[in-house]
């Protein structure tokens, strides 16, 4: 008898230890976690800033907050790999310590974004200032693609001076900051030589990171086929992939409405096609035929700055909603905004809901109705679906809750 009692007591104690309460439980949402092939109604338990469990029924006993996500979509926190965040107050500094870039926390959490990659705001000379002013003061996880221009994205004449493009120095700063530097950026070059691309690829090869190319400003134009097939490596990123501006070759042949064969070959080779929506870098005249041809972007990103966010682009959910309404399935849209970008920037610990991962999570409502979507050329479409962010968690903490779906709304403070 005594033995049975001891056994029961031991079992009870073991159970109590195992059944430690979760800090937050998200109940009843439709979880889409492409890395783990989850696309079903699930609960998520969060403990100590990490995902503890994803399961059909997670116990809420003892939880500090319970989130009612019934009827909502729950995904890993979004990763925007083309963003402009090096905000500052220097005159004539454009997106490098200038007035056109955005402080991350002001626009990320309200749309489900938990990680941004600043695409070339800082170069090797200005990265330490970017880290001090922006990375270290943001709750959003801020990463960087170093501009091949040492001064970063300061505009002309700096971005035209090939003497300021140093592959070796760029790679050294990247290698000294592996937690933050995830790539090398080329943009806005108007000369007709390959120097910026090749120096960036040199830096990327030395630091073992991808390059991201904003292509098409050269006069006379450089060949897109040569860029994709000869200069870029597998894993390198062609951003603004649905752009259609004068002087820039397009991925869709406008005569046939089909994606060019060499573009398909480049994808086969491993080149990444990123949206990088921006001010004038997304046109329905390219995106609609490309999607009809089955050519989805690898990653959905915004190229957000003070110009694009108040124009056709708006925010990442507006861009994702455009792709949904063009026929890209929701799980694909979520994958292109979470797990795919995590892999592209070589941070496979991000963009997923695996137990043990940092609990960066987004909760969305999908609204039905008639919504207008337009591009910078004035082409307008009407869509029936639109995503809205209900809640964002960063490292296991609720950092945005639109309608108060957490109970209690604020965790009771234990002092
Ligand atoms: Zn950009």
């Amino acid at each position: 008898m005594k033995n049975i009692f001891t056994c029961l007591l031991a079992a009870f104690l073991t159970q109590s230890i195992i059944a430690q309460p979760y800090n937050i439980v998200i109940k009843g949402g439709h979880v889409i976690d492409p890395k783990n092939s989850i696309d079903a109604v699930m609960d998520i338990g969060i403990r100590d800033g990490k995902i503890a469990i994803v399961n059909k029924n997670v116990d809420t006993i003892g939880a500090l907050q319970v989130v009612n996500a019934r009827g909502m979509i729950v995904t890993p926190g979004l990763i925007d790999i083309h963003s402009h965040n090096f905000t500052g107050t220097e005159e004539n500094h454009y997106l490098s310590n200038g007035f056109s870039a955005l402080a991350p926390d002001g626009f990320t959490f309200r749309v489900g974004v938990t990680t941004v990659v600043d695409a070339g705001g800082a170069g090797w000379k200005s990265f330490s200032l970017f880290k001090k002013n922006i990375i270290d003061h943001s709750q959003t996880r801020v990463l960087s693609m170093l501009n091949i221009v040492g001064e970063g994205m300061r505009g002309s004449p700096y971005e035209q001076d090939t003497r300021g493009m140093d592959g070796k120095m760029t790679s050294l700063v990247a290698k000294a900051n592996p937690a933050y530097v995830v790539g090398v950026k080329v943009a806005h070059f108007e000369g007709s030589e390959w120097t910026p691309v090749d120096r960036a690829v040199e830096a990327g090869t030395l630091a073992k990171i991808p390059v991201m190319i904003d292509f098409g400003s050269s006069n006379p134009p450089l060949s897109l086929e040569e860029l994709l097939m000869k200069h870029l490596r597998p894993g390198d990123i062609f951003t603004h992939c649905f752009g259609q501006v004068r002087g820039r070759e397009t991925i869709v042949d406008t005569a046939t409405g089909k994606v060019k064969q060499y573009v398909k070959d480049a994808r086969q080779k491993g080149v990444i096609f990123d949206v990088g929506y921006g001010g004038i870098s997304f046109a329905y005249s390219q995106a609609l035929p490309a999607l009809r041809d089955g050519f989805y972007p690898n990653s959905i990103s915004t190229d957000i700055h003070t110009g694009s966010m108040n124009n056709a682009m708006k925010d990442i959910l507006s861009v994702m909603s455009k792709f949904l309404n063009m026929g890209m399935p929701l799980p694909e849209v979520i994958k292109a905004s979470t797990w795919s970008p995590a892999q592209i920037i070589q941070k496979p610990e991000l963009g997923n809901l695996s137990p043990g991962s940092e609990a960066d999570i987004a909760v969305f409502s999908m609204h039905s109705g008639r919504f207008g979507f337009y591009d910078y050329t004035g082409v307008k479409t009407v869509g029936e679906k639109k995503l809205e962010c209900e809640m964002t968690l960063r490292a296991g903490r609720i950092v945005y809750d639109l309608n108060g779906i957490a109970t209690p709304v604020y965790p009771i403070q234990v002092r």
Side-chain angles (χ1 to χ4, degrees):
M1 190 66 190
K2 196 182 167 196
N3 271 350
I4 291 170
F5 179 74
T6 312
C7 286
L8 283 174
L9 183 67
F12 174 75
L13 287 174
T14 312
Q15 180 111 38
S16 310
I17 290 160
I18 291 168
Q20 242 183 56
Y22 302 106
N23 302 128
I24 299 174
V25 178
I26 302 174
K27 290 292 283 184
H30 183 141
V31 174
I32 300 178
D33 176 14
K35 182 198 170 184
N36 293 301
S37 304
I38 297 174
D39 186 350
V41 173
M42 291 276 183
D43 294 348
I44 301 177
I46 297 151
R47 191 189 291 132
D48 300 331
K50 302 259 183 353
I51 307 279
I53 187 170
V54 179
N55 213 327
K56 283 279 175 208
N57 190 11
V58 173
D59 199 346
T60 59
I61 293 169
L64 298 177
Q65 287 172 293
V66 177
V67 176
N68 179 3
R70 248 167 274 279
M72 298 174 190
I73 297 156
V74 182
T75 74
L78 305 182
I79 302 174
D80 186 352
I81 62 166
H82 190 152
S83 184
H84 289 289
N85 312 108
F86 194 178
T87 184
T89 55
E90 296 288 335
E91 285 292 344
N92 302 316
H93 269 242
Y94 190 37
L95 294 167
S96 182
N97 203 22
F99 294 102
S100 299
L102 299 161
D105 296 349
F107 67 91
T108 48
F109 296 149
R110 57 196 299 113
V111 288
V113 171
T114 50
T115 300
V116 289
V117 179
D118 178 80
W124 71 266
K125 290 183 186 172
S126 51
F127 177 76
S128 58
L129 184 66
F130 178 62
K131 182 172 180 303
K132 180 164 86 80
N133 285 2
I134 309 297
I135 294 177
D136 294 348
H137 289 279
S138 299
Q139 291 183 63
T140 309
R141 180 186 294 98
V142 180
L143 306 172
S144 164
M145 295 210 189
L146 289 178
N147 204 307
I148 191 60
V149 178
E151 300 275 345
M153 206 167 275
R154 274 190 73 170
S156 282
Y158 296 93
E159 293 180 70
Q160 307 308 326
D161 184 1
T162 51
R163 292 167 305 176
M165 302 175 187
D166 191 323
K168 180 83 189 299
M169 290 307 292
T170 305
S171 75
L172 288 176
V173 172
K175 285 199 279 190
N177 298 278
Y180 305 109
V181 178
V182 296
V184 182
K185 179 83 188 287
V186 173
H188 309 151
F189 186 62
E190 293 166 7
S192 59
E193 61 258 45
W194 290 100
T195 313
V197 171
D198 293 341
R199 298 258 170 91
V201 170
E202 179 198 349
T205 304
L206 288 168
K208 298 190 174 62
I209 50 179
V211 303
M212 176 186 272
I213 310 290
D214 166 347
F215 193 65
S217 306
S218 292
N219 190 10
L222 293 170
S223 156
L224 179 58
E225 181 171 4
E226 200 177 331
L227 172 77
L228 298 176
M229 297 308 288
K230 292 205 177 132
H231 292 267
L232 297 190
R233 308 160 296 164
D236 287 339
I237 305 153
F238 179 65
T239 192
H240 306 316
C241 68
F242 298 115
Q244 183 161 1
V245 290
R246 204 144 41 101
R248 180 188 296 176
E249 285 187 71
T250 54
I251 64 165
V252 171
D253 183 335
T254 42
T256 63
K258 297 284 179 201
V259 173
K260 294 171 182 170
Q261 188 55 48
Y262 70 77
V263 172
K264 292 178 177 169
D265 293 343
R267 166 162 280 179
Q268 192 71 29
K269 171 180 130 173
V271 172
I272 302 296
F273 290 82
D274 172 59
V275 173
Y277 194 109
I280 58 166
S281 297
F282 171 96
Y284 273 122
S285 57
Q286 283 288 302
L288 283 166
L291 266 74
R292 270 198 298 271
D293 205 8
F295 193 90
Y296 297 154
N298 296 89
S299 49
I300 294 177
S301 67
T302 59
D303 187 10
I304 194 167
H305 45 70
T306 55
S308 61
M309 72 185 297
N310 292 315
N311 215 298
M313 191 283 289
K314 298 186 174 59
D315 57 39
I316 198 164
L317 294 184
S318 175
V319 180
M320 290 165 70
S321 297
K322 281 180 182 176
F323 280 91
L324 273 175
N325 286 298
M326 283 190 285
M328 189 168 168
L330 178 63
E332 294 287 335
V333 169
I334 299 299
K335 186 179 177 195
S337 318
T338 57
W339 179 229
S340 292
Q343 291 171 287
I344 291 164
I345 60 172
Q346 301 176 356
K347 296 274 180 199
E349 67 275 24
L350 304 180
N352 65 78
L353 300 174
S354 303
S357 293
E358 202 150 295
D360 291 356
I361 302 173
V363 182
F364 301 110
S365 281
M366 178 76 83
H367 296 301
S368 298
R370 283 175 61 80
F371 306 106
F373 298 102
Y374 57 91
D375 70 8
Y376 87 99
T377 70
V379 171
K380 184 177 167 182
T381 65
V382 175
E384 293 175 349
K385 295 177 225 167
K386 192 173 187 179
L387 286 163
E388 181 173 48
C389 180
E390 292 283 352
M391 172 174 282
T392 304
L393 292 91
R394 168 79 183 96
R397 209 166 54 79
I398 296 169
V399 289
Y400 181 77
D401 183 353
L402 181 64
N403 288 300
I405 56 173
T407 305
V409 171
Y410 296 109
I412 293 156
Q413 298 291 326
V414 181
R415 290 177 196 276

